Amino acid sequence: MADARFAEIETRTRAYGREIFARLNRQGPLLFSPAWIDDQMMGLSMADDAVKVQLFRFIDALPLLKTPESIAKHLREYFAEAGSRLPGWMRLGLRLLPESGPATKALAWLATNNARRLARKFIAGSNVAEAVEAISQLRQNNLAFTIDLLGEATITEAEADAYQRQYLELVEGMSREVNAWPAIDLIDHDHCGPLPRVNVSVKLSSLYSQFDPMDPAGTSRSVCARLRPILRLARQHRAFVNFDMEQHAFKDVTLSIFQEVLSEAEFRDWPDVGIAIQAYLVDCERDLLMLRDWARQRGNGVWVRLVKGAYWDYETVISAQNDWPVPVFTSKWQSDANYERCSRFLLENFRELRPAFGTHNIRSIAHALACADLFALPEGSYEFQMLCGMADPVKDALVSLGQRVRIYTPYGQLLPGMAYLVRRLLENTSNESFLRASFKDQKPEDQLLMNPASHANDSGHDFAPRHAAEFTNEPVSDFSREENRRAMQDALHQVASQFGWQYPLIVNGQEIATPSWLDSNNPSNWQQIVGKCASARRADAEAAVAEAREAFPAWRDTPAVERADFLRRTAAIMRRRRFELSAWEVFECGKPWREADADVAEAIDFCEYYAAEMIRLSHPIKHDVPGEDNAYFYEPRGVAVIIAPWNFPLAILCGMTSAALVTGNPAIMKPAEQSSVVAAKLMDVFREAGLPKGVIHYLPGVGEEIGPVLVEHPDVALVAFTGSLNVGLSISRQAANTPKGQDHIKRVIAELGGKNAIIVDADADLDEAVKGVAESAFVYAGQKCSACSRAVVLEPIYDQFLARLVEATRSLKVAPADDPGCGVGPVIDRDAQQRIVATIERARQDLPLAYAADIGVLAQQGSFVGPHIFAGVSPTSPMAQEEIFGPVLAVIKAHDLEQALEIANGTNYALTGGVFSRSPVNIAEVKRRFRVGNLYINRKITGALVDRQPFGGFKLSGIGSKAGGPDYLLQFLLPRTITENTMRRGFAPMADQSTVVDAKAGH
Ligand SMILES: Cc1cc2nc3c(=O)[nH]c(=O)nc-3n(C[C@H](O)[C@H](O)[C@H](O)COP(=O)(O)OP(=O)(O)OC[C@H]3O[C@@H](n4cnc5c(N)ncnc54)[C@H](O)[C@@H]3O)c2cc1C
C-alpha cells in the first residue's frame, strides 16, 4: 500500500479515535461497578500479581465450597499465600476471622454474593429465560447479540449430547421469541437486507469429548454428526452460527471442519455463518488468505470475527513446557499491528470474508473505521463485536456513531462459568490490556492511539532457548501439526511392510541365528507377526558374558568424553529415526501414537542426560593438603546385564543400557520377549553410532531360560532390571549368591511395581480430576508402572466424581493402537489379557462394578481388555492392594483427608501418587505425608520427564535410585580414593602444582 494511503489511514484513525474518546465518560467505575470488587479487590489485584493469582484462584474454587466454614478456610489459605503483599487491614481481618460462627457465615455470604454478582457482569443469565431477558435489554439499547453457552469441559459423550441439545433448544427458543420482536434498523439490516437476529456462538470442542487434533478425521466425523442438526435448525429459523476459536492446537481442525461442513450441498449457499480468527497467531494471515480462496470457491461469503485471542498465557506456557515454537506473537504491539493488517485484508475482501471486529481497543476500532471509510465499504457491511460486561461506554460511543455493535453474551450456570469469568478477569487486569491502560491507568489519549507498528524496535518477551550446553528435554511431537501426522502415517506404512523379518541375536558384533525363533505379534491384531527374534541359549548367554568381560578393560579406560559422545550420536540417530521407532512400538507393543512418541523422546533424553551426567562425574573430587594429594573418583563395575520390560520398550531398555555404557560397563541387553523387535532396532542404532563390538550384545530369548544364566554368572558385576515385583525379588536373590570363582558382590538395580493412588479432595476441580484420573488409569491400558489403580475420593464429592468418571471412561475409544483416535489400546498379549480378565471376574463376585467397557469384536482380534471401574472398594481388599497392570481402577471412599492419606499410603508400594485439591493447606499436608517416589499435584501421575521428574519409588517399588536423576549413574560406578604423599625430603609442591591424579578410568 502506498505511503500516502498509510498516512491517510493514520490520520483518519487518530480522528476516529479522538471522536470515540470524546463520546465516552472515562471517569468513574466503568468496568465492574459494584463497590467491593471494583474499589478493593480489583484495585488490589491489579496492584500485585501474587494477590491477583490468589484472588482468582479463590473465585475459581468458590462454586465447589459448600459450607461457610470451607469458604472461610479457603479464603484464609489463599490469602495467607499472598502473605505480606496484602494490605494490613486484610491481614488483620483474616487473622481475626474465626473458623466458624456468625462472622464466618457473614463473610462466606459476602464472598459468594460478590463473586456471583461479578459473574453476572460477564454472564447474561443461567437459563434461556434469563438470557432472553438480557438480550431484550441489549436490543433496547440498539445492541445486537451473539449468545454463547458456557459449560464444563466436555469430557464425556453424554456431556457432548447435552451441549448439542442445549444449542438446539437455544436456537429454537430464542428464534421463537426474538424473531417476533419489532425490527431495529441499525442492528437487523445491512446493505443487502435483513440480518439474522438470533446469533449463536459454538465451541466445537464442546461437541465431542475426544476432540483431538491428532485424529482430525475421527474428530471431524463426531463433531459434524452433532453440528449438522444445529446448523440445519439454525438455517431453518434464519439464525446465524459463529464458530468460536479455541487454543492453537485446535485451530487447524476447527478451520477444516468449518470448511468441510459448509461446503456440503446442504449448507454451501448459506451466508449466515462465521468463524473467529485470532490475530495474535503468527500464522493468522496465511489462514485468512486460505479462507478467502475457499470462500471464493464456495461461491458464498462467510463472516470472520477478527479477535486478538483469549489464550495468550496458555499458549506461551504450553509452548514453554513442551519446548515447542510459540505460536503467538510475544509482544502486545505485534498482535495489535497484525490485527490492523488483518482488518485491512478483511475490508479489502469483504465480499468473501465479511468483517466483524471483535475488540474493545479504541485504536483497533478506529483503524477499522478509518479503513472502511477509505475503502468505501457499504454501510452496514461490517460490524463490531464486544464482550458482555466489558467496555460499555465504548459500545455506546460506537452506537452513537451509527455502527452496528454485537454483544457476545455467554449464559450458563455459575459453576461452569467460573473458568470464563476468570479468563475475563485476567484479561481486564493484565498489564497489557487496552481497557486497563485506558480506564484504570488513565493513560493519555495520544499514547493510547499510537500506531502499534511504531513500537517495532521494542523487544518482545524473552522466549530464547536455554543455553546449548544445558540439558533440555527432547520435545514430544506436536501431532496437531499436519507434517507430524503425515510423518507418523508414513512410518506406520513403511514399518508394516517389514513385518515378519527375522532378528538374529548379536554377540560381539556377530549375528547369530538360533534353532528356534520367537514370534512377536501385534497385540492389536494377533494375525500380524511383527518380527521373529532369535531365542538365545545358555551357550549364547555365556559367550556374551565372556566377550563383554574381554572388552571391559579397554572400555573402562576409554575417556568419559568419548563414551558420552557415543551416547550423543545414539541420540542423534534416534532423532533421525524418530517416527520409524515410534511406529515399531505402536505395532509391537500396542502403544498409542502419543505414548510411543513420548517413549522415543525419553530414550533420547536418557542418552543426552546420562552423557552430561557422566561428564560431571568424571571430574575427580580433590581434597589436597600440603604434602598430600587426595582424589576421589569413580570407575565402572564390570559386565552389566540389562533385563528390560516391554511397557517402555525403547526408553527403559535404552536408559538402563546407556547408563551402563557411559559409565564404562559393557552391557548385555536382554529385552522382554514381547518387545524384542524394538530392542533389535535399538541395537541397530547402537551399532550405527559406532560402539565397539564387545561392549554391547543383543540377547533376546525366553526370560526364564537365559535370565538366571546371566544373573548367576560369576563374571557379571551388575544387573539392572525393571519389571514385576516377583521377578525383581528373584533376581535379587539369585544375584546375592556368590558362587565359587566370583570375586565381587553383585549390584542389583531394580525398579518394580506400584499400586498408585490419586486422592481427590472435596474441593477438586472436577474437570481436571476426572480427566487426570482417567488418563492416569487407562492410557496405555493401565500398563505403565506409574499408572493410577486407586482413586481415593473424599465423601462430599464421591458420587459426583464417580458418575463423571464413569461417563468419561465410557467415552474413551478402545481401538487398535495404530488408529490415531485410539484412547485405550490392547494389553500386551494373550496371557496378560487372560490374567486381567480373570482378576476382574474374581473381583466382580464381591465388588460393585461401576463400569465395564464392552469391546465387542476387538476381543477376537487382539488382546483387548476394556477399562473397568470398581466402586466402593475396601482399601484392604486385593483389588486395592495387588498390582494388576491393566485398565482396572478401584475407587475408594474416604471420610476426610486424614483417612485418604492413610489409605493412599496403605500398600506395600511407594511409586507414584497424586492429589487433586484447591486447598493450599491440604496440598501442603499431602506433600508432607503421601510417601511415594513421585508425587504429582493437580495433574496426571504418569509421564515423568528425565531430569525434570527423576523417576522411581521405594518400599517394594524399587531398590534402585531414580532413573533420569542425578544419583542414577552412581549405581553403575564404584568410588575409589587415591592418596599420594608428595613430600620429598622435607619439601612439597604447593597444592596447585601437585601432580594430577591419574584417574584415567572414569574420566
Ligand atoms: C465478540 C468477541 C468474541 C470473541 N471470541 C473469541 C474467540 O472465539 N476466541 C478467542 O481466542 N478470543 C475471543 N475473544 C477474545 C479476544 O480474543 C480478546 O481476548 C479480547 O477481546 C481482548 O482484546 P482487545 O482487542 O479487546 O484488547 P487489547 O487490550 O487491545 O488486547 C488484548 C489482547 O492482546 C493480546 N496480547 C496480550 N499480551 C500480549 C503479548 N505480550 N504479546 C502478544 N499479544 C498479546 C492477547 O490476545 C490479549 O487478549 C472474543 C472477543 C470478542 C469481543
Side-chain angles (χ1 to χ4, degrees), residues 36 454 457 722:
W36 178 72
S454 64
N457 293 328
T722 302

Side-chain angles (χ1 to χ4, degrees), residues 466-472:
R466 284 192 272 172
H467 190 267
E470 210 179 313
F471 169 80
T472 45

Side-chain angles (χ1 to χ4, degrees), residues 124-160:
S126 52
N127 53 44
V128 179
E130 284 177 19
V132 169
E133 173 57 30
I135 281 157
S136 119
Q137 275 176 22
L138 287 177
R139 285 178 60 90
Q140 279 166 28
N141 293 324
N142 281 333
L143 294 165
F145 71 92
T146 178
I147 196 143
D148 165 56
L149 194 55
L150 290 176
E152 293 154 307
T154 300
I155 51 178
T156 75
E157 283 300 271
E159 286 161 359

Side-chain angles (χ1 to χ4, degrees), residues 149-156 159-160 163 166 205-206 413 415-417 419 765-767 800 804:
L149 194 55
L150 290 176
E152 293 154 307
T154 300
I155 51 178
T156 75
E159 286 161 359
Y163 261 108
Q166 287 183 67
S205 69
S206 66
Q413 297 297 319
L415 180 100
D765 178 334
L766 270 189
D767 285 356
Q800 214 180 338
R804 228 163 149 218

Side-chain angles (χ1 to χ4, degrees), residues 244-245 276 278 280 305 307-312 329-332 335-336 358-361 385-387 408 424 427 432-435 461:
D244 280 0
M245 194 56 81
Q278 297 153 322
Y280 67 5
R305 174 200 295 153
V307 297
K308 281 171 201 156
Y311 304 83
W312 190 86
F329 289 112
T330 55
S331 291
K332 168 74 162 59
S335 296
D336 288 343
T359 176
H360 315 93
N361 181 320
Q385 300 192 352
M386 295 188 205
L387 300 175
Y408 188 91
R424 292 285 81 86
E427 207 164 74
E432 310 267 24
S433 154
F434 181 90
L435 288 179
H461 284 244

